[in-house]
Amino acid sequence: MNIDMLVFGEDWGEHPSSTQHLITQLLPEQQILWINSLGLRRPRLNSADLRRAWQKISKMIGQAGQHQVTADSSATANSLPERLQIVNPRAISWPGNPLARSLSRQLLTRQLLPLLGESGQSGRKSPLLWTSLPSAVDVVGKLNERACVYYCCDDFAALDGVDHGPVSKMEQELASKSQLIITASSKLAAKFPDHKTWLLPHGVDTSLFSTPAPRADDLPTDGPVAGFYGSLAGWFDQQLFAVLAKLLPHWTFVLIGPAKTDITTLLAQPNIRWLGSKPHHELPRYSQHWDVSLLPFLQNPQIKACNPLKLREYLAAGSPIVSTDFPALDGYRDLVKVSDCAAGFAEELEVIYRSRQDRNALRMIRRQRVEKESWQQRGQELKSLLDAL
């Protein structure tokens, strides 16, 4: 089978990233070989890393010898798109170790080259290589690709869970080897050469988030509710959130998403409820029905470079938003209440709740702001960039 594009991204079927959203737009026209995540840090001797290592090893063993690659049980609850194949990579996660990088390059090329089939042979067009991860740099130029695209959505020099020094060096190598660099924010774009760098802001699934959805059964109904969904990680301002809950004891604060750090401080508050992770397609059942959506981020380099998907998703749901300040709010500041302290958040929440008579009109304004920023539109912009290669 002829492969049009190799994509190095996160594990397919996890909470969908911008990479998954964009590549999905290309599937009707292209045969995609998706390579699940390559590590960005050396493993540590803790239960979480050991469990993830075992999951990776199990997937690789289960896939050994297979040339027709299909979804594993964790990939997605639905069947894979027809033109998408998934590979669990054989690689060693140790970004700063030259031997590990060399071995990974050999393992990956031996694994992937046979899967490319007729790509690049007998007059067929060679595949395009797309990576969202600097750790794929070692196979750039080794897979008979016609060009390399680096899609940068994070500041890897500041991102949690990354070996910053080695990964930053790998990113510099990748930038020099790439023919096209696409970034999700202007701050990220400033890191790379102007002549081959393009800004492509995130999109939103306008149909999913704007279409009325029934209220989730586990969403509290006793009094006003404010909510946040996303990873509860180092960039989430737990102190602000906990103080906010104390200031507004008559409100219920809902958290949805995996806990990537210790959240016992949050769970100690009686009016904070953590509902765990939810499938992406169920999120409108929460964001359309709670009273206010929250973006309580810390002020750090990672957040200054980010362009969170949930900002546009909240707007598409029509939800009021209260947020800490960060650059990606530009273009939406007239629709977002901004404060950098818990007292300011509390004041804004109370004002929003008291002004409920204008809710329907404001919901329509928020939705209209992002209706032309769908992933379909972003996919068309991406196709134009790729065609130019």
Side-chain angles (χ1 to χ4, degrees):
M1 183 176 292
N2 190 53
I3 300 297
D4 298 301
M5 183 182 293
L6 298 111
V7 177
F8 291 84
E10 74 289 346
D11 287 356
W12 181 272
E14 299 290 337
H15 193 78
S17 67
S18 56
T19 304
Q20 288 191 36
H21 285 297
L22 287 171
I23 296 303
T24 298
Q25 300 306 313
L26 303 180
L27 281 171
E29 302 173 6
Q30 300 205 39
Q31 188 76 32
I32 305 293
L33 186 64
W34 179 286
I35 298 90
N36 278 341
S37 62
L38 299 173
L40 294 170
R41 65 173 174 82
R42 59 189 291 184
R44 297 174 175 82
L45 293 178
N46 57 46
S47 59
D49 279 14
L50 291 174
R51 182 168 56 252
R52 180 164 176 77
W54 173 248
Q55 291 171 347
K56 288 285 187 182
I57 292 170
S58 298
K59 290 177 183 179
M60 286 189 286
I61 292 174
Q63 209 175 71
Q66 296 181 14
H67 289 271
Q68 181 64 32
V69 188
T70 57
D72 57 81
S73 59
S74 66
T76 178
N78 305 311
S79 59
L80 282 177
E82 182 180 353
R83 298 172 67 84
L84 176 72
Q85 294 178 295
I86 308 293
V87 170
N88 292 306
R90 299 169 194 159
I92 301 169
S93 175
W94 199 327
N97 186 288
L99 179 59
R101 289 182 61 177
S102 177
L103 288 173
S104 289
R105 179 173 60 250
Q106 295 177 50
L107 288 169
L108 283 169
T109 53
R110 289 175 184 175
Q111 180 185 16
L112 297 177
L113 281 174
L115 299 176
L116 298 180
E118 300 175 348
S119 302
Q121 301 177 18
S122 305
R124 292 181 179 270
K125 181 182 284 188
S126 297
L128 188 67
L129 189 155
W130 168 297
T131 181
S132 305
L133 303 170
S135 44
V137 65
D138 294 318
V139 295
V140 174
K142 307 295 182 182
L143 298 173
N144 300 323
E145 72 273 13
R146 69 179 187 274
C148 175
V149 177
Y150 175 35
Y151 179 53
C152 179
C153 290
D154 291 295
D155 181 358
F156 289 105
L159 189 65
D160 276 2
V162 170
D163 288 346
H164 297 135
V167 171
S168 293
K169 291 181 180 179
M170 295 173 82
E171 184 180 57
Q172 293 172 7
E173 294 178 41
L174 178 59
S176 67
K177 292 182 177 182
S178 298
Q179 283 70 46
L180 174 64
I181 300 171
I182 301 173
T183 71
S185 75
S186 56
K187 185 173 180 62
L188 290 172
K191 296 169 51 178
F192 305 112
D194 288 343
H195 70 279
K196 60 179 178 180
T197 303
W198 292 84
L199 173 64
L200 184 66
H202 288 329
V204 60
D205 189 335
T206 51
S207 176
L208 174 65
F209 285 91
S210 297
T211 301
R215 186 185 183 98
D217 293 338
D218 57 348
L219 185 61
T221 57
D222 47 340
V225 179
F228 168 89
Y229 64 73
S231 293
L232 302 173
W235 53 80
F236 183 89
D237 193 336
Q238 289 198 46
Q239 182 178 5
L240 183 153
F241 204 86
V243 173
L244 175 61
K246 291 180 181 179
L247 291 173
L248 298 177
H250 55 293
W251 281 69
T252 301
F253 295 88
V254 169
L255 296 171
I256 296 173
K260 302 290 188 179
T261 188
D262 184 2
I263 61 170
T264 54
T265 300
L266 298 175
L267 300 184
Q269 300 301 317
N271 58 334
I272 294 180
R273 300 187 189 179
W274 178 42
L275 304 183
S277 297
K278 303 292 180 182
H280 185 254
H281 66 272
E282 291 188 6
L283 295 178
R285 299 182 62 192
Y286 298 88
S287 59
Q288 288 182 9
H289 295 281
W290 56 40
D291 296 284
V292 183
S293 296
L294 302 177
L295 292 172
F297 295 143
L298 290 169
Q299 296 292 328
N300 61 29
Q302 180 182 349
I303 295 302
K304 290 177 181 178
C306 80
N307 194 338
L309 300 182
K310 62 182 67 64
L311 170 60
R312 291 172 180 82
E313 291 172 352
Y314 286 164
L315 290 170
S319 176
I321 301 171
V322 180
S323 175
T324 51
D325 198 6
F326 56 94
L329 293 177
D330 291 350
Y332 309 98
R333 291 182 180 275
D334 57 319
L335 301 179
V336 178
K337 300 300 183 182
V338 178
S339 178
D340 288 320
C341 66
F345 264 62
E347 182 179 350
E348 297 292 359
L349 263 63
E350 292 283 68
V351 170
I352 290 170
Y353 191 65
R354 289 195 300 266
S355 305
R356 285 175 293 169
Q357 67 271 17
D358 298 328
R359 176 170 295 181
N360 289 335
L362 292 173
R363 281 184 180 275
M364 185 61 66
I365 291 172
R366 296 182 192 106
R367 287 171 172 164
Q368 288 175 343
R369 180 65 61 87
V370 295
E371 65 183 3
K372 294 183 179 180
E373 299 182 41
S374 68
W375 285 116
Q376 289 83 357
Q377 177 62 35
R378 297 299 188 226
Q380 291 300 318
E381 296 173 40
L382 174 61
K383 290 174 187 178
S384 297
L385 291 174
L386 298 183
D387 287 344
L389 286 174

